[in-house]
Amino acid sequence: EETPSPEPEATATPPAPTDEPISPTPGEEVPFYLERDWEGKTYIIVNADMSVRDLIRYKKPQAVLITEKSGKVIVEGRLKTGMAMDGIPIVVLGDSDGTGYVNYNDMYLAERRILDMEGFDTYEAFLASDMDFDGEFTIIDLVLLSEEIDRTKK
């Protein structure tokens, strides 16, 4: 008698990356969320309006673990470039310094990078500064960063 081969273990399939924004409830403005692969690694891209709670709510019913760079679990507050969701790096568009805010410090750092006075500390910082997702950091990204600063000040 032949011994049946064991059934392969079922593995959870992560949601497919999507370019589609979160579907808002009528009258509700929902922050931007996107999963992208760059150079063989997945990154979660969000805008500065998305909080930790927003991200957890967006991923429901899937349970997610949001952590700071140090590994500390976070359940509320601002998302910051350099945090991770289930080990996937989070990038907040415009937040190249990792504070969770898009402000003039990010612009100052971006201007230094354009002038070749300073490089990016991390790949996540580069992605946060690449506002148009073209894989390059150019003057266009500075213009878009300026617009994002103005938008988040309101």
Side-chain angles (χ1 to χ4, degrees), residues 5 10 54 72 82 95-96 101 103-104 127 133 139 142-143 152:
S5 59
D54 290 333
K72 178 182 174 187
D95 176 35
S96 63
Y101 295 91
N103 56 34
Y104 290 107
L127 293 175
F133 304 111
I139 198 77
L142 280 179
V143 171
T152 59

Side-chain angles (χ1 to χ4, degrees), residues 5 14 54 57 62 90 107 125 129 133:
S5 59
D54 290 333
R57 184 183 62 152
Q62 177 185 346
I90 295 172
M107 179 61 79
S129 298
F133 304 111

Side-chain angles (χ1 to χ4, degrees), residues 140-152:
I140 293 168
D141 296 303
L142 280 179
V143 171
L144 294 171
L145 178 58
S146 177
E147 290 173 0
E148 181 69 359
I149 290 169
D150 288 343
R151 186 187 73 75
T152 59

Side-chain angles (χ1 to χ4, degrees), residues 25-40:
T25 306
E28 176 187 23
E29 189 173 318
V30 179
F32 176 87
Y33 174 91
L34 180 66
E35 290 184 22
R36 286 284 177 149
D37 288 335
W38 274 281
E39 302 194 5

